[in-house]
Amino acid sequence: DAGITQSPRHKVTETGTPVTLRCHQTENHRYMYWYRQDPGHGLRLIHYSYGVKDTDKGEVSDGYSVSRSKTEDFLLTLESATSSQTSVYFCAISEGGPYGYTFGSGTRLTVV
Amino acid sequence: KQEVTQIPAALSVPEGENLVLNCSFTDSAIYNLQWFRQDPGKGLTSLLLIQSSQREQTSGRLNASLDKSSGRSTLYIAASQPGDSATYLCAVKRGNEKLTFGTGTRLTIIP
């Protein structure tokens, strides 16, 4: 979607290394989310943000941290990547309330 | 805890048929429900958004209904086409601004 971009699109990294994924929006939406998608588990919420410097945990937050220093950017960091964090990561944005979600194209992360 | 279920997990139908995809959720205290499609290796594309006060929404050949009291939503696709082949996901939003997803139905339209 033109209003939300994720980078990188693909990444291969080694176990134990730190990794940061970036989500950038041009829609000025208040809410931003990080999900991971795995076969058999569907999409699960990792962390979300409800404003600059305001973040909270989702259902699978262990091993992940986030930061939002500007409205348009939401960063997801894997402090020390593990093989269980191999997944496809999606960022989403929303204005909240009755509005729906818009998703980015995803980042495919492989931890070897 | 909200749980969202989509049955069947996979569905194959001949081109031209009308079809219905199902979504059920355990907690009826939802804010809205959104249907997405996902093509292999791609992101999620929003199809329809239904508010909790609405009964249905339509977009072209797609019609989504919502029965909040029974915890069910259906996505009706009319005159199916091969381009409709994709995985369809439903997701419900609660008042805490979090979205809970079903695991999806993989739809294949046979030419």
Side-chain angles (χ1 to χ4, degrees), chain A residues 47-57 66-68 74:
Chain A
H47 281 281
Y48 68 104
S49 169
Y50 47 96
V52 174
K53 299 191 190 311
D54 292 322
T55 65
D56 204 351
K57 297 178 180 180
V66 290
S67 65
R68 191 172 179 196
F74 193 33

Side-chain angles (χ1 to χ4, degrees), chain A residues 21-92:
Chain A
L21 309 183
R22 180 181 184 236
C23 179
H24 178 78
Q25 63 150 328
T26 57
E27 305 296 322
N28 201 37
H29 286 349
R30 177 182 177 188
Y31 295 90
M32 298 186 75
Y33 305 81
W34 278 107
Y35 285 86
R36 61 178 289 175
Q37 186 176 37
D38 305 287
H41 293 279
L43 280 136
R44 295 178 292 174
L45 181 64
I46 305 171
H47 281 281
Y48 68 104
S49 169
Y50 47 96
V52 174
K53 299 191 190 311
D54 292 322
T55 65
D56 204 351
K57 297 178 180 180
E59 60 182 302
V60 291
S61 59
D62 287 347
Y64 301 95
S65 62
V66 290
S67 65
R68 191 172 179 196
S69 59
K70 300 184 291 185
T71 298
E72 58 266 34
D73 290 324
F74 193 33
L75 305 180
L76 176 71
T77 298
L78 289 65
E79 302 291 345
S80 178
T82 68
S83 58
S84 65
Q85 294 177 311
T86 292
S87 185
V88 181
Y89 292 84
F90 287 101
C91 177

Side-chain angles (χ1 to χ4, degrees), chain B:
Chain B
K1 176 185 174 184
Q2 178 73 274
E3 293 184 1
V4 182
T5 303
Q6 292 184 250
I7 296 173
L11 180 66
S12 294
V13 300
E15 179 180 0
E17 285 197 1
N18 304 325
L19 60 100
V20 174
L21 305 180
N22 298 296
C23 172
S24 61
F25 46 95
T26 55
D27 185 349
S28 62
I30 67 169
Y31 203 95
N32 57 39
L33 183 146
Q34 196 166 359
W35 282 94
F36 297 88
R37 72 172 276 167
Q38 185 176 29
D39 295 291
K42 304 294 185 182
L44 280 70
T45 301
S46 180
L47 297 174
L48 289 163
L49 173 67
I50 311 178
Q51 304 300 329
S52 62
S53 58
Q54 297 176 320
R55 294 301 300 267
E56 65 179 57
Q57 282 283 342
T58 298
S59 176
R61 294 181 296 108
L62 305 180
N63 175 277
S65 69
L66 175 64
D67 183 342
K68 204 174 72 163
S69 61
S70 68
R72 295 176 63 182
S73 176
T74 61
L75 179 66
Y76 174 84
I77 302 177
S80 58
Q81 304 171 357
D84 295 330
S85 296
T87 295
Y88 290 80
L89 297 159
C90 71
V92 298
K93 178 178 175 180
R94 295 163 287 172
N96 59 4
E97 297 294 340
K98 295 181 183 179
L99 206 60
T100 302
F101 281 87
T103 51
T105 294
R106 187 173 67 253
L107 176 65
T108 301
I109 305 299
I110 304 166

